[in-house]
Amino acid sequence: MLSECRSPPVKMPILKNLGVADSKVPRAGTLPLRSSRNPFEEVSGLEEEETGELGTLPNGTSCRRRATLEKLAGLAPFRLGRSPGWRVGSPGDGQPRSFLGRVLTPGMRRSSADFGLLARLQGTRAQGNEEAAGEAARRLAFLRLGRGPKPRRASLAERVVPAGEAAPEPPPKVPEPPKMKEPLSVLEILGLIQQRELARADEHILELEAEELASSGGGAPVPPKAEGAGSPSGGGRRARDVALLYEALQRELWALVRETLAGPGPGAGAGPGAVAQLGQVLVQEEAADGRRGPEAARKLRARWAEAVARAARERLEAAAPGAPGGLAGQLEALRGRLLEDMGVVRGRLAPSYPAGLGAFGVYLRGYHGALAEWIGAAARRRLPLTDRYALLHWHNQVYPREVLGLVDMVALENGELGPLLSPGTLRGLEDECVTDVKAQTRAALLRVLQEDEEHWGSTEDWSSSLAQDVCELLEEHTERAPRISQEFGERMAHCCLGGLAEFLQSFQQRVERFHENPGVRELPPDTYISRTISLVNCGPPLRALAERLARVGPPESEPAREAAASALDRVTRRCHQVLTDLLFQELQPHFNKLMRRKWLNSSEALDGIVGALGAKALALRRMQDEPYQALVAELHRRALVEYVRPLFRGRLRCGSVRTRSRVTGRLREDAAQLQRLFRRLESQASWLDAVVPRLAEVLHLEDTPSIQMEVGMLVRDYPDIRRKHVAALLDMRGLRRTAARHEILAVARDLELSEGGSLSRPRDRAFFADIPVPRPPFCLSLPLFLGRLPLSRLACLPWPRPPSPSRARAQR
């Protein structure tokens, strides 16, 4: 269809005999002037005019197609052609072969040294071609003026088979013999490496290495000689080529490892199958190492693991320095980078490797080793206490739980990775933390105590925060250390408990000096009571802290706990004593009115005691529960001691039954009123409620057995009562020098002897021990004549001296 639509060719006149004196024009003058010296150049238009003159071949085809022997045989010195050994699919298919390719024997590998000759030959030929190209272009431009399109050429079948005859059947295909695979040159293998066709390049390198082994006698590969060591032989050149190719291959492999970690997925920047080719190269090289032997093995798989570790180190070092927040911020940046990279490895990289390589484990070990180096370098620096805490917590808790726990729990459980830091390094970090905490907390506690002590003697309204500050200083360390490890928590608790015990001993000494200072008596009573209550309130939280540290700490912490508790007990007792003394100084006038004749007829004295105690109890409510209960119990005991003290001093003598009945009734009424008062004050000392009623019962009973039974119960409930107290009661009721008196005192003596050694008298249960009993009256039996002496002479007689206070306390 296209041939029918074409216009007939326009024939142009042929220039002949132009009379140009040119040696290139034939003498006959029938050939046109050629614009090029190239004999193989085809000039359109000349063939049409030469058709009639040149004629046709016997098969009917035109003989206008000419050729030379060189063109037919492919022997043009610098024209590209194909050798007889060329085959489809061989390297360079689709491209004409070079002169060097035609000169070399088919099947021979071109080495890196052969390309110098090619460069020199091509340089000479290119220079000549450039000179001829300009002249040819100028001549062809003139000859093509006015010529139409090139006529359609007849096909090969039209030229061979005459028109009107049937085309013969094609001959049967003869199977071609197997074609020999032409090996690639060194530069072509290098080109494959640069194009990231790594698996194919590795195959050709292995072939080249096999050829080198065959040429050297089948021995193990030898390393290439260094440059400048003389002209290498053929085998030496191949060994050098193999070594250089392996270096180039490994550079690309390890660059690929870095790129895949930095990029968004496998083969980032190098194609989607680059990681798979890397794995195939490792498998091929591992198989080749089996043939090479242990001495000649290249161990590319081990070098791959090293490259992964280097890439991981670079990734971690790039993530940490720019993170804000000191070492804690850097560790957080490392955690984010680890999770990000291991997610890429698990989801994209590891599936691209062959399963036998264990790629995920290699990457995990590489990152673990790189992190261990980073953590070890940080641990060797002189870090502040906060950074040491952060490093230990990240090492013991964050990394195993939030990194390895999410990445590969199996490897963590099997212990394949090992610790980031050695046990010695961890112990050293913990020791440094304990030492710094001991020094810092002691200095901080003393500073806080000094600041608080400055306000004790002031009259300003001030609220103490000493206990809160101490607890915050110590709990900062005692709460962080157990989160790192249980052993470290025990060591830190023991350290803080020792510091707390020393602080409380200093606190006790300063509290005692404060109360012994005469200047504090000048403070208003309300201010002094308020300061004392503030000091007492420091006890419960500090005591609870000491108990908690003792429970967490090792068994060696018990002496420190006892020292802390002893110091707090002394502070509490001292402050309670001060408060009690201040209160009973105001109540003493009311207690002096007890056990007198007026007391039998009026309750004025006891009403004053109850009213004063109730009023002062409002101020004591600011005290914390534990010391408040102890103070109220002490007030309860002290109030009853002061109440019954006049009874044993013998202020009243109730020899008659009527008088004993009135005293007993008043004692029972006062006991009930005091019991109601201290119940309202929430006193827990219920053991004191029976003291006054039992004493009243001893005074009220008449028969000796009942009195003996009541005295026995009194001695049983209050082991600190003595015979002198029972004797004072018997004296009050007028029971003197009779057999009943001796029987009653014998019961007290027997109980005292039987229970005195077995029952100890606890301090909080002491009652009668604080009640002194006066010495019984001394009766001197004198002769009758002494009664006639005047009183002035009787005054000269020696009288027994009363016992000294120290001797009296010893007797008690």
Side-chain angles (χ1 to χ4, degrees), residues 343-362:
V344 171
V345 171
R346 178 186 288 277
R348 302 178 181 180
L349 298 184
S352 301
Y353 285 96
L357 293 178
F360 183 77
V362 172

Side-chain angles (χ1 to χ4, degrees), residues 343-398:
V344 171
V345 171
R346 178 186 288 277
R348 302 178 181 180
L349 298 184
S352 301
Y353 285 96
L357 293 178
F360 183 77
V362 172
Y363 277 88
L364 183 59
R365 286 189 292 272
Y367 271 90
H368 183 79
L371 182 62
E373 294 180 6
W374 195 95
I375 296 293
R380 287 188 293 270
R381 299 196 300 266
R382 180 61 182 174
L383 299 174
L385 181 60
T386 305
D387 288 349
R388 283 200 205 95
Y389 272 130
L391 183 60
L392 288 172
H393 181 260
W394 199 90
H395 174 274
N396 289 19
Q397 299 296 329
V398 176

Side-chain angles (χ1 to χ4, degrees), residues 464-484:
S464 176
S465 61
L466 178 63
Q468 181 180 358
D469 296 340
V470 171
C471 292
E472 290 178 357
L473 284 173
L474 296 180
E475 287 175 353
E476 177 185 359
H477 306 287
T478 57
E479 292 179 358
R480 296 183 66 176
R483 292 198 294 263
I484 295 174

Side-chain angles (χ1 to χ4, degrees), residues 708 730 737-747 749:
Q708 288 178 332
L730 297 179
R737 298 183 181 276
T738 61
R741 178 185 179 91
H742 290 294
E743 293 177 2
I744 295 171
L745 292 177
V747 173
R749 183 182 65 251

Side-chain angles (χ1 to χ4, degrees), residues 656-675:
S656 63
V657 177
R658 181 173 177 275
T659 305
R660 287 199 300 270
S661 178
R662 292 180 60 189
V663 171
T664 301
R666 171 56 66 185
L667 289 175
R668 290 173 177 171
E669 292 178 4
D670 291 352
Q673 190 174 358
L674 290 173
Q675 185 176 356

Side-chain angles (χ1 to χ4, degrees), residues 332 335 338-339 393-394 397-407 409 412:
E332 182 63 23
R335 186 188 69 86
L338 284 168
L339 292 178
H393 181 260
W394 199 90
Q397 299 296 329
V398 176
Y399 181 65
R401 184 180 63 250
E402 300 184 14
V403 178
L404 293 182
L406 300 177
V407 172
M409 184 61 72
L412 178 63

Side-chain angles (χ1 to χ4, degrees), residues 575-594:
C575 293
H576 283 176
Q577 181 184 357
V578 169
L579 293 175
T580 304
D581 291 343
L582 288 176
L583 180 59
F584 279 90
Q585 284 179 4
E586 299 180 9
L587 296 177
Q588 194 60 41
H590 300 285
F591 284 109
N592 292 334
K593 298 177 182 179
L594 298 176

Side-chain angles (χ1 to χ4, degrees), residues 628-786:
Y628 174 78
Q629 294 295 336
L631 177 60
V632 170
E634 178 62 21
L635 292 177
H636 193 176
R637 190 193 70 85
R638 182 78 176 269
L640 292 179
V641 167
E642 296 296 332
Y643 179 83
V644 302
R645 189 191 301 273
L647 188 64
F648 289 96
R649 288 181 178 177
R651 290 183 181 178
L652 285 176
R653 290 292 185 265
C654 45
S656 63
V657 177
R658 181 173 177 275
T659 305
R660 287 199 300 270
S661 178
R662 292 180 60 189
V663 171
T664 301
R666 171 56 66 185
L667 289 175
R668 290 173 177 171
E669 292 178 4
D670 291 352
Q673 190 174 358
L674 290 173
Q675 185 176 356
R676 289 192 298 270
L677 169 66
F678 286 105
R679 283 184 179 176
R680 188 169 67 251
L681 297 181
E682 300 177 0
S683 172
Q684 302 296 328
S686 59
W687 60 278
L688 295 170
D689 295 338
V691 173
V692 176
R694 290 194 183 282
L695 295 177
E697 197 67 21
V698 171
L699 295 176
H700 177 69
L701 295 175
E702 295 295 334
D703 57 317
T704 301
S706 299
I707 296 175
Q708 288 178 332
M709 184 177 297
E710 194 65 33
V711 169
M713 297 178 63
L714 189 63
V715 173
R716 182 198 62 188
D717 294 341
Y718 303 96
D720 60 337
I721 192 171
R722 293 294 178 262
R723 283 179 297 171
K724 58 184 179 181
H725 297 100
V726 179
L729 288 176
L730 297 179
D731 291 340
M732 181 180 178
R733 62 172 293 157
L735 190 61
R736 297 174 179 273
R737 298 183 181 276
T738 61
R741 178 185 179 91
H742 290 294
E743 293 177 2
I744 295 171
L745 292 177
V747 173
R749 183 182 65 251
D750 293 341
L751 292 175
E752 182 179 348
L753 294 176
S754 62
E755 299 179 355
S758 59
L759 295 177
S760 60
R761 183 178 59 190
R763 175 63 188 169
D764 56 349
R765 288 297 185 98
F767 185 82
F768 289 98
D770 294 338
I771 301 176
V773 177
R775 191 177 180 85
F778 177 73
C779 182
L780 181 63
S781 178
L782 297 176
L784 183 59
F785 70 90
L786 292 179

